[in-house]
Amino acid sequence: MVPSAVSAFNSWSGYLEVVEDALRSQHSNACAENVRKGFQKMTALMKSKEGREQLSKIFVLKAPLANITLSYNNIQYFYQVIYENFQLATQYNEVNVNPYKSGYGIKQVCDIMTKGNDDPLTKLQAVNVYMAQLHGDFKYTDNSYDDMIKYLRREEFDGENFDSGARSWTWQTCTEFGYYQTTDGGPKGIFGDVTPLSVFVNMCTDVFGTKFNANYIDAAVRATQTHYGGADNFMATNVVIPNGSVDPWHRLGKLVSYYTSVVTYLINAVNTNKKNAMPRARTTYPKQDEETAENRILQSQMVRLPTDTVKSGRITVAEVPTMGPPQTHNYDAKHILAVETHFIRQPFDHFNSEDNRTFKQKYYKNDEWAKPNGPMFLLIGGESPLGPMWVKGFGMFHQKLAEKLGATVFALEHRYYGDSVVGGTATDPNPDLTYLSSLQALSDVANFIRTMDAKMNKTSKWITFGGSYAEYLEVVERSFRRYQPQCADNIAKSLFIGS
């Protein structure tokens, strides 16, 4: 999501309201009402020991409700796990990348909820089993709040059965954005009022410490909203902002613009999702020493298909309506593996010139389509590791556009995700997330553009692409004019396209 082109909230019940509306508008009232009946029966059974044993059996719970210390956190997390199936089906409905282009959308889950003679509770479990196939065969429902907290506390790099990005993104929700998808809209929704804001606040406290309580999170989200302005006070220029009416995130987005330099699209019935005084940035930066991926074990060496990023709620690439309908992507592993990995040195802290520590931020470059006066394309990484397919070999929108316009294509990984770790090594990971913020990431982008221009000995026209959280780059002009004036002239020449 875009911290400037959307509004930041702690408790955001609107997400599930859009899910309900989508089930009704894209399929049937019968689907939505059967979901309601299923959740009503779940909450009724939860009130007795016998009922909890029945729920444990129906949903094949990894942590049977009779065998764990019953707490509000465990109960509310269980409900969240079940309704997340409908969140995924709605948010990625008919996305034109496997596995969602062939299923796992609203039609499929609603067909399960409306066909056959099983009761609604049994149908909820059938949806649960079906959606579990996104990650493999269904074995059980992983419903333990305590296990989830232990997972997010792990301080290590990505590895087998572990995605460090989950911890990093949780940090950003606790310290900047909120966006907690609660049922605080009231009991009239089809999911009832089963998950209040408190369970998400408890998650922040249990993972990161008692400092991260409700008051802290509320102040942090307010600071984000004040600085970036939200959708109502969006002041950047040269931006294209598409939204889809089925995508729940559109509810927070900027849907109308009265300025010719801010172009908004609301695409009906499809999904495109895909402190008040801010510090002044430093004016001196570390000397760059060009590095490649030699002798390093990188996340990118495991070729990741965009299906992985889509199913995990990760970044997607903008598709501007005037370019026509999206095309099926053709994966070319040979081309992807030929892309060289580069690193740029970035400061730990862009706002403390006395701190000389640096880290290596990963990026990719593809200049096979470049023309002498062609533009620079920059794909901004979001809340996941970045792979080489973002610059070559997958026929994405910005790649096709780069070929047409003679552009050089770059992709920059977000700090603290994938291989761009701030401090620490693979054997001694750094648990300190202090320097993980959108402000630091925006400064990474500005320093990257400045460094590439200096390296190429020219001031280029930059067109930047981002989706989901990575679309925050659309705030760069406004934010950088405000607290990093030395970059304003360069950034102001850029065009930002997000989704």
PDB file of all heavy atoms in Angstrom, residues 418-451:
ATOM      1  N   GLY A 418      14.982 -10.041   2.171  1.00  0.00           N
ATOM      2  CA  GLY A 418      15.885 -10.787   1.305  1.00  0.00           C
ATOM      3  C   GLY A 418      17.324 -10.656   1.749  1.00  0.00           C
ATOM      4  O   GLY A 418      17.677 -10.930   2.898  1.00  0.00           O
ATOM      5  N   ASP A 419      18.197 -10.217   0.827  1.00  0.00           N
ATOM      6  CA  ASP A 419      19.631 -10.118   1.101  1.00  0.00           C
ATOM      7  C   ASP A 419      20.061  -8.734   1.568  1.00  0.00           C
ATOM      8  O   ASP A 419      21.233  -8.532   1.871  1.00  0.00           O
ATOM      9  CB  ASP A 419      20.416 -10.472  -0.167  1.00  0.00           C
ATOM     10  CG  ASP A 419      20.102 -11.876  -0.652  1.00  0.00           C
ATOM     11  OD1 ASP A 419      20.327 -12.824   0.123  1.00  0.00           O
ATOM     12  OD2 ASP A 419      19.609 -12.015  -1.778  1.00  0.00           O
ATOM     13  N   SER A 420      19.151  -7.787   1.620  1.00  0.00           N
ATOM     14  CA  SER A 420      19.501  -6.407   1.973  1.00  0.00           C
ATOM     15  C   SER A 420      19.328  -6.185   3.473  1.00  0.00           C
ATOM     16  O   SER A 420      18.488  -5.412   3.927  1.00  0.00           O
ATOM     17  CB  SER A 420      18.639  -5.431   1.170  1.00  0.00           C
ATOM     18  OG  SER A 420      18.830  -5.635  -0.212  1.00  0.00           O
ATOM     19  N   VAL A 421      20.148  -6.891   4.244  1.00  0.00           N
ATOM     20  CA  VAL A 421      20.032  -6.884   5.698  1.00  0.00           C
ATOM     21  C   VAL A 421      20.904  -5.777   6.278  1.00  0.00           C
ATOM     22  O   VAL A 421      22.070  -5.630   5.917  1.00  0.00           O
ATOM     23  CB  VAL A 421      20.439  -8.246   6.284  1.00  0.00           C
ATOM     24  CG1 VAL A 421      20.318  -8.238   7.798  1.00  0.00           C
ATOM     25  CG2 VAL A 421      19.575  -9.346   5.690  1.00  0.00           C
ATOM     26  N   VAL A 422      20.343  -5.007   7.173  1.00  0.00           N
ATOM     27  CA  VAL A 422      21.073  -3.904   7.799  1.00  0.00           C
ATOM     28  C   VAL A 422      21.812  -4.440   9.010  1.00  0.00           C
ATOM     29  O   VAL A 422      21.236  -4.638  10.082  1.00  0.00           O
ATOM     30  CB  VAL A 422      20.113  -2.769   8.207  1.00  0.00           C
ATOM     31  CG1 VAL A 422      20.888  -1.613   8.823  1.00  0.00           C
ATOM     32  CG2 VAL A 422      19.323  -2.294   6.998  1.00  0.00           C
ATOM     33  N   GLY A 423      23.108  -4.709   8.836  1.00  0.00           N
ATOM     34  CA  GLY A 423      23.906  -5.279   9.911  1.00  0.00           C
ATOM     35  C   GLY A 423      23.756  -6.782   9.972  1.00  0.00           C
ATOM     36  O   GLY A 423      22.809  -7.371   9.455  1.00  0.00           O
ATOM     37  N   GLY A 424      24.722  -7.425  10.601  1.00  0.00           N
ATOM     38  CA  GLY A 424      24.638  -8.863  10.787  1.00  0.00           C
ATOM     39  C   GLY A 424      25.115  -9.644   9.576  1.00  0.00           C
ATOM     40  O   GLY A 424      25.353  -9.105   8.497  1.00  0.00           O
ATOM     41  N   THR A 425      25.273 -10.938   9.770  1.00  0.00           N
ATOM     42  CA  THR A 425      25.670 -11.859   8.714  1.00  0.00           C
ATOM     43  C   THR A 425      24.766 -13.077   8.777  1.00  0.00           C
ATOM     44  O   THR A 425      23.940 -13.213   9.679  1.00  0.00           O
ATOM     45  CB  THR A 425      27.129 -12.308   8.892  1.00  0.00           C
ATOM     46  OG1 THR A 425      27.239 -13.056  10.121  1.00  0.00           O
ATOM     47  CG2 THR A 425      28.070 -11.106   8.943  1.00  0.00           C
ATOM     48  N   ALA A 426      24.952 -13.981   7.845  1.00  0.00           N
ATOM     49  CA  ALA A 426      24.116 -15.180   7.820  1.00  0.00           C
ATOM     50  C   ALA A 426      24.295 -16.016   9.078  1.00  0.00           C
ATOM     51  O   ALA A 426      23.376 -16.697   9.521  1.00  0.00           O
ATOM     52  CB  ALA A 426      24.439 -16.014   6.584  1.00  0.00           C
ATOM     53  N   THR A 427      25.502 -15.978   9.664  1.00  0.00           N
ATOM     54  CA  THR A 427      25.749 -16.759  10.877  1.00  0.00           C
ATOM     55  C   THR A 427      25.503 -15.956  12.145  1.00  0.00           C
ATOM     56  O   THR A 427      25.406 -16.515  13.225  1.00  0.00           O
ATOM     57  CB  THR A 427      27.198 -17.276  10.889  1.00  0.00           C
ATOM     58  OG1 THR A 427      28.098 -16.162  10.767  1.00  0.00           O
ATOM     59  CG2 THR A 427      27.422 -18.250   9.744  1.00  0.00           C
ATOM     60  N   ASP A 428      25.412 -14.626  12.012  1.00  0.00           N
ATOM     61  CA  ASP A 428      25.172 -13.766  13.169  1.00  0.00           C
ATOM     62  C   ASP A 428      24.163 -12.690  12.781  1.00  0.00           C
ATOM     63  O   ASP A 428      24.501 -11.518  12.613  1.00  0.00           O
ATOM     64  CB  ASP A 428      26.481 -13.119  13.634  1.00  0.00           C
ATOM     65  CG  ASP A 428      26.281 -12.267  14.890  1.00  0.00           C
ATOM     66  OD1 ASP A 428      25.290 -12.509  15.611  1.00  0.00           O
ATOM     67  OD2 ASP A 428      27.110 -11.370  15.132  1.00  0.00           O
ATOM     68  N   PRO A 429      22.904 -13.076  12.602  1.00  0.00           N
ATOM     69  CA  PRO A 429      21.904 -12.123  12.119  1.00  0.00           C
ATOM     70  C   PRO A 429      21.657 -10.996  13.104  1.00  0.00           C
ATOM     71  O   PRO A 429      21.831 -11.156  14.313  1.00  0.00           O
ATOM     72  CB  PRO A 429      20.657 -12.991  11.938  1.00  0.00           C
ATOM     73  CG  PRO A 429      20.858 -14.146  12.855  1.00  0.00           C
ATOM     74  CD  PRO A 429      22.332 -14.402  12.860  1.00  0.00           C
ATOM     75  N   ASN A 430      21.250  -9.872  12.568  1.00  0.00           N
ATOM     76  CA  ASN A 430      21.008  -8.684  13.375  1.00  0.00           C
ATOM     77  C   ASN A 430      19.527  -8.577  13.706  1.00  0.00           C
ATOM     78  O   ASN A 430      18.710  -8.377  12.816  1.00  0.00           O
ATOM     79  CB  ASN A 430      21.470  -7.451  12.591  1.00  0.00           C
ATOM     80  CG  ASN A 430      21.233  -6.166  13.359  1.00  0.00           C
ATOM     81  OD1 ASN A 430      20.946  -6.192  14.548  1.00  0.00           O
ATOM     82  ND2 ASN A 430      21.350  -5.052  12.669  1.00  0.00           N
ATOM     83  N   PRO A 431      19.154  -8.693  14.985  1.00  0.00           N
ATOM     84  CA  PRO A 431      17.736  -8.621  15.334  1.00  0.00           C
ATOM     85  C   PRO A 431      17.210  -7.197  15.425  1.00  0.00           C
ATOM     86  O   PRO A 431      16.026  -6.985  15.630  1.00  0.00           O
ATOM     87  CB  PRO A 431      17.700  -9.292  16.709  1.00  0.00           C
ATOM     88  CG  PRO A 431      19.031  -8.953  17.308  1.00  0.00           C
ATOM     89  CD  PRO A 431      20.004  -8.979  16.155  1.00  0.00           C
ATOM     90  N   ASP A 432      18.095  -6.199  15.288  1.00  0.00           N
ATOM     91  CA  ASP A 432      17.711  -4.809  15.483  1.00  0.00           C
ATOM     92  C   ASP A 432      16.987  -4.274  14.250  1.00  0.00           C
ATOM     93  O   ASP A 432      17.577  -4.136  13.180  1.00  0.00           O
ATOM     94  CB  ASP A 432      18.963  -3.969  15.761  1.00  0.00           C
ATOM     95  CG  ASP A 432      18.633  -2.517  16.066  1.00  0.00           C
ATOM     96  OD1 ASP A 432      17.435  -2.200  16.185  1.00  0.00           O
ATOM     97  OD2 ASP A 432      19.572  -1.718  16.188  1.00  0.00           O
ATOM     98  N   LEU A 433      15.700  -3.963  14.401  1.00  0.00           N
ATOM     99  CA  LEU A 433      14.908  -3.443  13.287  1.00  0.00           C
ATOM    100  C   LEU A 433      14.748  -1.927  13.356  1.00  0.00           C
ATOM    101  O   LEU A 433      13.885  -1.361  12.686  1.00  0.00           O
ATOM    102  CB  LEU A 433      13.532  -4.109  13.278  1.00  0.00           C
ATOM    103  CG  LEU A 433      13.527  -5.635  13.117  1.00  0.00           C
ATOM    104  CD1 LEU A 433      12.104  -6.174  13.206  1.00  0.00           C
ATOM    105  CD2 LEU A 433      14.164  -6.047  11.809  1.00  0.00           C
ATOM    106  N   THR A 434      15.601  -1.270  14.133  1.00  0.00           N
ATOM    107  CA  THR A 434      15.480   0.167  14.354  1.00  0.00           C
ATOM    108  C   THR A 434      15.450   0.954  13.055  1.00  0.00           C
ATOM    109  O   THR A 434      14.723   1.946  12.930  1.00  0.00           O
ATOM    110  CB  THR A 434      16.655   0.668  15.221  1.00  0.00           C
ATOM    111  OG1 THR A 434      16.612   0.005  16.484  1.00  0.00           O
ATOM    112  CG2 THR A 434      16.578   2.173  15.431  1.00  0.00           C
ATOM    113  N   TYR A 435      16.226   0.524  12.072  1.00  0.00           N
ATOM    114  CA  TYR A 435      16.366   1.303  10.846  1.00  0.00           C
ATOM    115  C   TYR A 435      15.440   0.816   9.731  1.00  0.00           C
ATOM    116  O   TYR A 435      15.662   1.114   8.561  1.00  0.00           O
ATOM    117  CB  TYR A 435      17.827   1.274  10.384  1.00  0.00           C
ATOM    118  CG  TYR A 435      18.771   1.733  11.469  1.00  0.00           C
ATOM    119  CD1 TYR A 435      19.570   0.817  12.158  1.00  0.00           C
ATOM    120  CD2 TYR A 435      18.828   3.067  11.846  1.00  0.00           C
ATOM    121  CE1 TYR A 435      20.412   1.228  13.176  1.00  0.00           C
ATOM    122  CE2 TYR A 435      19.669   3.495  12.862  1.00  0.00           C
ATOM    123  CZ  TYR A 435      20.454   2.569  13.526  1.00  0.00           C
ATOM    124  OH  TYR A 435      21.283   2.983  14.542  1.00  0.00           O
ATOM    125  N   LEU A 436      14.419   0.070  10.103  1.00  0.00           N
ATOM    126  CA  LEU A 436      13.419  -0.372   9.130  1.00  0.00           C
ATOM    127  C   LEU A 436      12.225   0.569   9.186  1.00  0.00           C
ATOM    128  O   LEU A 436      11.428   0.534  10.124  1.00  0.00           O
ATOM    129  CB  LEU A 436      12.973  -1.807   9.435  1.00  0.00           C
ATOM    130  CG  LEU A 436      11.807  -2.345   8.598  1.00  0.00           C
ATOM    131  CD1 LEU A 436      12.084  -2.231   7.108  1.00  0.00           C
ATOM    132  CD2 LEU A 436      11.500  -3.788   8.982  1.00  0.00           C
ATOM    133  N   SER A 437      12.117   1.446   8.204  1.00  0.00           N
ATOM    134  CA  SER A 437      10.995   2.376   8.125  1.00  0.00           C
ATOM    135  C   SER A 437      10.841   2.835   6.689  1.00  0.00           C
ATOM    136  O   SER A 437      11.767   2.739   5.877  1.00  0.00           O
ATOM    137  CB  SER A 437      11.219   3.590   9.037  1.00  0.00           C
ATOM    138  OG  SER A 437      12.221   4.439   8.503  1.00  0.00           O
ATOM    139  N   SER A 438       9.672   3.367   6.370  1.00  0.00           N
ATOM    140  CA  SER A 438       9.445   3.865   5.019  1.00  0.00           C
ATOM    141  C   SER A 438      10.306   5.090   4.734  1.00  0.00           C
ATOM    142  O   SER A 438      10.736   5.300   3.596  1.00  0.00           O
ATOM    143  CB  SER A 438       7.965   4.200   4.820  1.00  0.00           C
ATOM    144  OG  SER A 438       7.523   5.163   5.761  1.00  0.00           O
ATOM    145  N   LEU A 439      10.591   5.911   5.749  1.00  0.00           N
ATOM    146  CA  LEU A 439      11.451   7.078   5.538  1.00  0.00           C
ATOM    147  C   LEU A 439      12.865   6.663   5.147  1.00  0.00           C
ATOM    148  O   LEU A 439      13.467   7.238   4.231  1.00  0.00           O
ATOM    149  CB  LEU A 439      11.493   7.934   6.804  1.00  0.00           C
ATOM    150  CG  LEU A 439      10.305   8.855   7.055  1.00  0.00           C
ATOM    151  CD1 LEU A 439      10.449   9.546   8.399  1.00  0.00           C
ATOM    152  CD2 LEU A 439      10.170   9.877   5.947  1.00  0.00           C
ATOM    153  N   GLN A 440      13.409   5.668   5.847  1.00  0.00           N
ATOM    154  CA  GLN A 440      14.742   5.184   5.480  1.00  0.00           C
ATOM    155  C   GLN A 440      14.709   4.572   4.079  1.00  0.00           C
ATOM    156  O   GLN A 440      15.644   4.762   3.281  1.00  0.00           O
ATOM    157  CB  GLN A 440      15.221   4.146   6.502  1.00  0.00           C
ATOM    158  CG  GLN A 440      15.415   4.666   7.914  1.00  0.00           C
ATOM    159  CD  GLN A 440      16.653   5.544   8.080  1.00  0.00           C
ATOM    160  OE1 GLN A 440      17.419   5.753   7.138  1.00  0.00           O
ATOM    161  NE2 GLN A 440      16.851   6.068   9.284  1.00  0.00           N
ATOM    162  N   ALA A 441      13.642   3.847   3.759  1.00  0.00           N
ATOM    163  CA  ALA A 441      13.547   3.213   2.446  1.00  0.00           C
ATOM    164  C   ALA A 441      13.433   4.248   1.333  1.00  0.00           C
ATOM    165  O   ALA A 441      14.014   4.090   0.257  1.00  0.00           O
ATOM    166  CB  ALA A 441      12.345   2.265   2.415  1.00  0.00           C
ATOM    167  N   LEU A 442      12.674   5.316   1.566  1.00  0.00           N
ATOM    168  CA  LEU A 442      12.582   6.390   0.583  1.00  0.00           C
ATOM    169  C   LEU A 442      13.945   7.017   0.340  1.00  0.00           C
ATOM    170  O   LEU A 442      14.318   7.339  -0.795  1.00  0.00           O
ATOM    171  CB  LEU A 442      11.604   7.457   1.069  1.00  0.00           C
ATOM    172  CG  LEU A 442      10.116   7.110   0.989  1.00  0.00           C
ATOM    173  CD1 LEU A 442       9.298   8.143   1.747  1.00  0.00           C
ATOM    174  CD2 LEU A 442       9.657   7.025  -0.450  1.00  0.00           C
ATOM    175  N   SER A 443      14.718   7.177   1.410  1.00  0.00           N
ATOM    176  CA  SER A 443      16.059   7.741   1.272  1.00  0.00           C
ATOM    177  C   SER A 443      16.983   6.786   0.533  1.00  0.00           C
ATOM    178  O   SER A 443      17.867   7.221  -0.214  1.00  0.00           O
ATOM    179  CB  SER A 443      16.625   8.073   2.653  1.00  0.00           C
ATOM    180  OG  SER A 443      15.830   9.045   3.301  1.00  0.00           O
ATOM    181  N   ASP A 444      16.791   5.479   0.727  1.00  0.00           N
ATOM    182  CA  ASP A 444      17.543   4.497  -0.064  1.00  0.00           C
ATOM    183  C   ASP A 444      17.292   4.712  -1.551  1.00  0.00           C
ATOM    184  O   ASP A 444      18.215   4.678  -2.373  1.00  0.00           O
ATOM    185  CB  ASP A 444      17.121   3.071   0.311  1.00  0.00           C
ATOM    186  CG  ASP A 444      17.604   2.630   1.682  1.00  0.00           C
ATOM    187  OD1 ASP A 444      18.564   3.227   2.201  1.00  0.00           O
ATOM    188  OD2 ASP A 444      17.003   1.682   2.228  1.00  0.00           O
ATOM    189  N   VAL A 445      16.028   4.913  -1.906  1.00  0.00           N
ATOM    190  CA  VAL A 445      15.667   5.101  -3.313  1.00  0.00           C
ATOM    191  C   VAL A 445      16.325   6.351  -3.878  1.00  0.00           C
ATOM    192  O   VAL A 445      16.901   6.340  -4.972  1.00  0.00           O
ATOM    193  CB  VAL A 445      14.132   5.177  -3.466  1.00  0.00           C
ATOM    194  CG1 VAL A 445      13.755   5.584  -4.883  1.00  0.00           C
ATOM    195  CG2 VAL A 445      13.494   3.841  -3.113  1.00  0.00           C
ATOM    196  N   ALA A 446      16.242   7.456  -3.132  1.00  0.00           N
ATOM    197  CA  ALA A 446      16.833   8.710  -3.609  1.00  0.00           C
ATOM    198  C   ALA A 446      18.340   8.579  -3.780  1.00  0.00           C
ATOM    199  O   ALA A 446      18.913   9.035  -4.778  1.00  0.00           O
ATOM    200  CB  ALA A 446      16.514   9.838  -2.637  1.00  0.00           C
ATOM    201  N   ASN A 447      18.999   7.936  -2.814  1.00  0.00           N
ATOM    202  CA  ASN A 447      20.449   7.760  -2.913  1.00  0.00           C
ATOM    203  C   ASN A 447      20.807   6.831  -4.063  1.00  0.00           C
ATOM    204  O   ASN A 447      21.829   7.014  -4.736  1.00  0.00           O
ATOM    205  CB  ASN A 447      21.002   7.214  -1.597  1.00  0.00           C
ATOM    206  CG  ASN A 447      22.521   7.228  -1.566  1.00  0.00           C
ATOM    207  OD1 ASN A 447      23.156   8.177  -2.018  1.00  0.00           O
ATOM    208  ND2 ASN A 447      23.102   6.164  -1.028  1.00  0.00           N
ATOM    209  N   PHE A 448      19.970   5.838  -4.313  1.00  0.00           N
ATOM    210  CA  PHE A 448      20.207   4.932  -5.437  1.00  0.00           C
ATOM    211  C   PHE A 448      20.139   5.692  -6.760  1.00  0.00           C
ATOM    212  O   PHE A 448      21.017   5.555  -7.624  1.00  0.00           O
ATOM    213  CB  PHE A 448      19.176   3.802  -5.422  1.00  0.00           C
ATOM    214  CG  PHE A 448      19.323   2.838  -6.566  1.00  0.00           C
ATOM    215  CD1 PHE A 448      20.246   1.807  -6.503  1.00  0.00           C
ATOM    216  CD2 PHE A 448      18.554   2.971  -7.712  1.00  0.00           C
ATOM    217  CE1 PHE A 448      20.400   0.916  -7.564  1.00  0.00           C
ATOM    218  CE2 PHE A 448      18.696   2.091  -8.774  1.00  0.00           C
ATOM    219  CZ  PHE A 448      19.624   1.063  -8.698  1.00  0.00           C
ATOM    220  N   ILE A 449      19.094   6.500  -6.942  1.00  0.00           N
ATOM    221  CA  ILE A 449      18.945   7.265  -8.180  1.00  0.00           C
ATOM    222  C   ILE A 449      20.121   8.217  -8.362  1.00  0.00           C
ATOM    223  O   ILE A 449      20.708   8.319  -9.446  1.00  0.00           O
ATOM    224  CB  ILE A 449      17.609   8.028  -8.176  1.00  0.00           C
ATOM    225  CG1 ILE A 449      16.443   7.043  -8.281  1.00  0.00           C
ATOM    226  CG2 ILE A 449      17.552   9.051  -9.308  1.00  0.00           C
ATOM    227  CD1 ILE A 449      15.075   7.681  -8.157  1.00  0.00           C
ATOM    228  N   ARG A 450      20.487   8.900  -7.292  1.00  0.00           N
ATOM    229  CA  ARG A 450      21.607   9.837  -7.359  1.00  0.00           C
ATOM    230  C   ARG A 450      22.905   9.111  -7.711  1.00  0.00           C
ATOM    231  O   ARG A 450      23.703   9.571  -8.538  1.00  0.00           O
ATOM    232  CB  ARG A 450      21.741  10.547  -6.012  1.00  0.00           C
ATOM    233  CG  ARG A 450      22.907  11.512  -5.927  1.00  0.00           C
ATOM    234  CD  ARG A 450      22.901  12.265  -4.603  1.00  0.00           C
ATOM    235  NE  ARG A 450      22.679  11.367  -3.482  1.00  0.00           N
ATOM    236  CZ  ARG A 450      21.718  11.552  -2.577  1.00  0.00           C
ATOM    237  NH1 ARG A 450      20.895  12.573  -2.677  1.00  0.00           N
ATOM    238  NH2 ARG A 450      21.582  10.714  -1.574  1.00  0.00           N
ATOM    239  N   THR A 451      23.114   7.939  -7.107  1.00  0.00           N
ATOM    240  CA  THR A 451      24.341   7.179  -7.350  1.00  0.00           C
ATOM    241  C   THR A 451      24.401   6.654  -8.775  1.00  0.00           C
ATOM    242  O   THR A 451      25.448   6.701  -9.430  1.00  0.00           O
ATOM    243  CB  THR A 451      24.437   6.014  -6.348  1.00  0.00           C
ATOM    244  OG1 THR A 451      24.442   6.537  -5.017  1.00  0.00           O
ATOM    245  CG2 THR A 451      25.704   5.207  -6.568  1.00  0.00           C
TER     246      THR A 451
END
